[in-house]
Amino acid sequence: MKLRMYFKQAWYNLRMNRVYSAVFIAGTALSLSLVMAFLTVLSSRVVNTVPETHRDRMMVLKSVAEMNDETYWQSGVTSKFAEQFMRDVPGVEVWSVACPATGGFVVLESGEEEVTKVYGKYVDLDFWKVFDYDFIEGRAISQNGMVPNTAETVISESTARSLFGRTDAVGETVYFGGHTMTVCGVVRDVPMSAVTAFAGVWLPQSLSEDSDFSPSGLLGMGTLLILAEDRSDFGIIKEEITGRVSRHAEANGITMELKSFDSYRKSLFAWSELSSAAYTWLGIGVVLIILIVPLLNLSGMVGSRMEARLTEFGTRKSFGAGPRSIIAQIAGENLLMTIIGGVVGLLAAWLIIALFSRQLNSLVPGSFMDNISQMGEIPDSGFFDFRDFFKLWLYLALLGIILVLNLVSALIPAAKVIRRPITESLNYKK
């Protein structure tokens, strides 16, 4: 019954002090919505999510350097590199080499002469074991589909709509660069936040026209994707592959160095001078600033409000109200305003992510979007979709943190105020 009374009184005070209540609720809602938007965008890149459901145990080799006495080459890898150095590496569950199409984008044409330009990627058979694509129709490319004469392709749902006006496109014919392919599968659109899995069309590796970049035939445009049995095997895997490459280079009188070879999460920051740990602390700093600065302002406002209510508290104490009763009332008021701010913040977070999805993509670490935008227009289907990554439990956790901080910011000045003698409180002039 007392709890109900406290909330009724809190609701009354909230309506009586509308400016104060509005500022408090708005500050809470703004902090929550901004932090949630930031964390949602960031989590889209680092946590396990479809189709990159094994990010925590994935390694990526993006760049290898090869040199002799006269020449220096540095690039990605070819399938030959993987076949030569990846056989029976301990701790490896599966590996694959994926290569972007020349220029990034490819032009596809349907049998109905509909043409579309999409981001394309050449893949091998094991590529589909590394990622968990959400197939709407059909299946992955088969062994027979890897042969140019019987080539198969997987397309995204947006690509299917562009070419055929529908997503049930399995069995349809697609033309690309003089090749005829059969659509064997249609997958849900992949956001560009999934940089290693993203594409609008996945093509058989046998159709790739990219040549190797070095005399050894080991360097090309491909990225080596390694799925470890466990993340604890990363060190063993890297040491084994590095040793094999070094022995090969020594035997052939050249020098080879693995330039960009690390875990998936660390590889995201390979373009930057900052490490992944530095970005983690930077993210924590951003979150703390967004949370604490408004709370400090609210704390000052609460302190002033407590001073203004000295007469009220003095009157209540003169009629027998104890410190616990007054603190419970203040806690009830604070709790009610924080909950209202939390509801408003939840709606605001959804709106921010929905309305500013393109702008929020710039917060994502990595240079993939910059590269793809230089190749051509960024497809709408690749932009971040909050529905896939928004976690209600994370928002509730943030709300819990805000609730504790708000209570502390309110109760500390309240405790100082109610300790004052009754006579001083009753005689206090605003």
Side-chain angles (χ1 to χ4, degrees):
M1 292 298 293
K2 280 189 175 182
L3 184 62
R4 182 180 178 183
M5 181 187 68
Y6 291 143
F7 271 99
K8 285 181 68 176
Q9 190 167 0
W11 179 250
Y12 173 79
N13 287 329
L14 186 148
R15 289 185 292 116
M16 290 299 294
N17 302 282
R18 295 181 181 180
V19 175
Y20 168 78
S21 302
V23 173
F24 190 100
I25 291 170
T28 301
L30 184 63
S31 297
L32 282 167
S33 59
L34 291 178
V35 171
M36 190 62 195
F38 175 75
L39 292 180
T40 301
V41 174
L42 192 61
S43 68
S44 72
R45 285 298 303 272
V46 297
V47 302
N48 293 339
T49 184
V50 176
E52 296 181 351
T53 55
H54 307 297
R55 287 172 170 173
D56 58 334
R57 56 189 185 96
M58 184 185 297
M59 299 185 73
V60 180
L61 174 57
K62 293 182 177 180
S63 177
V64 178
E66 179 181 322
M67 64 203 83
N68 54 32
D69 294 336
E70 301 177 352
T71 315
Y72 178 91
W73 299 271
Q74 183 174 336
S75 184
V77 301
T78 60
S79 296
K80 180 181 176 181
F81 178 96
E83 291 167 0
Q84 182 158 338
F85 300 117
M86 290 302 302
R87 297 290 182 185
D88 301 320
V89 174
V92 173
E93 180 179 313
V94 66
W95 54 267
S96 172
V97 175
C99 178
T102 305
F105 287 82
V106 299
V107 177
L108 303 177
E109 182 178 351
S110 69
E112 301 170 357
E113 298 185 351
E114 291 290 337
V115 178
T116 188
K117 184 180 180 182
V118 297
Y119 187 78
K121 185 169 289 185
Y122 295 105
V123 299
D124 54 24
L125 281 174
D126 288 331
F127 179 84
W128 309 100
K129 299 177 183 178
V130 177
F131 302 105
D132 292 325
Y133 287 92
D134 187 0
F135 277 84
I136 300 174
E137 301 280 344
R139 53 167 175 76
I141 301 173
S142 64
Q143 178 72 58
N144 192 50
M146 297 296 294
V147 180
N149 292 336
T150 55
E152 295 176 339
T153 182
V154 172
I155 59 178
S156 67
E157 56 181 321
S158 60
T159 302
R161 291 194 187 97
S162 296
L163 289 173
F164 309 106
R166 63 189 193 281
T167 58
D168 56 336
V170 173
E172 296 287 350
T173 300
V174 175
Y175 302 98
F176 158 66
H179 300 284
T180 301
M181 303 179 295
T182 302
V183 177
C184 64
V186 180
V187 300
R188 295 197 185 279
D189 287 336
V190 179
M192 279 185 290
S193 55
V195 294
T196 55
F198 174 78
V201 60
W202 293 263
L203 307 163
Q205 202 171 67
S206 58
L207 302 186
S208 174
E209 297 177 356
D210 291 332
S211 58
D212 56 81
F213 291 168
S214 65
S216 66
L218 300 177
L219 273 60
M221 288 293 293
T223 298
L224 177 60
L225 309 170
I226 301 172
L227 193 59
E229 294 175 353
D230 189 89
R231 60 185 303 174
S232 61
D233 296 323
F234 285 174
I236 298 173
I237 293 171
K238 187 171 184 178
E239 183 179 356
E240 177 66 22
I241 296 174
T242 301
R244 293 184 181 188
V245 169
S246 297
R247 289 190 292 272
H248 168 83
E250 186 177 353
N252 288 272
I254 59 175
T255 301
M256 293 186 70
E257 183 180 352
L258 306 183
K259 286 290 186 179
S260 179
F261 185 25
D262 222 316
S263 67
Y264 172 90
R265 289 169 179 168
K266 288 185 178 181
S267 70
L268 295 177
F269 306 95
W271 59 276
S272 172
E273 294 180 357
L274 296 178
S275 65
S276 60
Y279 269 97
T280 299
W281 285 109
L282 182 62
I284 293 173
V286 170
V287 170
L288 290 177
I289 289 173
I290 297 175
L291 285 178
I292 291 177
V293 170
L295 288 176
L296 290 176
N297 293 331
L298 289 178
S299 179
M301 190 173 67
V302 169
S304 299
R305 181 63 186 158
M306 291 300 104
E307 289 283 344
R309 297 176 68 182
L310 266 176
T311 303
E312 174 194 337
F313 295 146
T315 303
R316 289 194 60 188
K317 286 194 291 183
S318 67
F319 280 93
R324 288 187 179 181
S325 175
I326 297 175
I327 287 179
Q329 176 192 337
I330 296 170
E333 294 173 5
N334 189 279
L335 180 61
L336 179 60
M337 288 190 292
T338 301
I339 291 175
I340 295 174
V343 174
V344 175
L346 178 62
L347 297 175
W350 276 61
L351 286 174
I352 288 172
I353 298 173
L355 297 176
F356 301 102
S357 60
R358 289 178 180 261
Q359 290 79 6
L360 288 172
N361 271 280
S362 64
L363 297 177
V364 176
S367 57
F368 179 73
M369 182 170 291
D370 293 335
N371 293 337
I372 198 173
S373 63
Q374 292 172 7
M375 299 174 188
E377 183 180 354
I378 299 176
D380 291 334
S381 60
F383 277 102
F384 171 79
D385 186 352
F386 71 94
R387 292 171 298 179
D388 295 332
F389 306 107
F390 193 95
K391 305 296 183 184
L392 184 59
W393 66 265
L394 179 58
Y395 186 83
L396 293 176
L398 286 173
L399 180 58
I401 294 172
I402 286 285
L403 179 59
V404 172
L405 293 176
N406 277 352
L407 283 174
V408 171
S409 67
L411 294 180
I412 290 177
K416 293 180 180 179
V417 168
I418 62 178
R419 286 198 191 102
R420 294 189 181 183
I422 293 177
T423 54
E424 182 181 339
S425 299
L426 289 174
N427 296 324
Y428 179 78
K429 294 182 180 180
K430 296 181 181 180

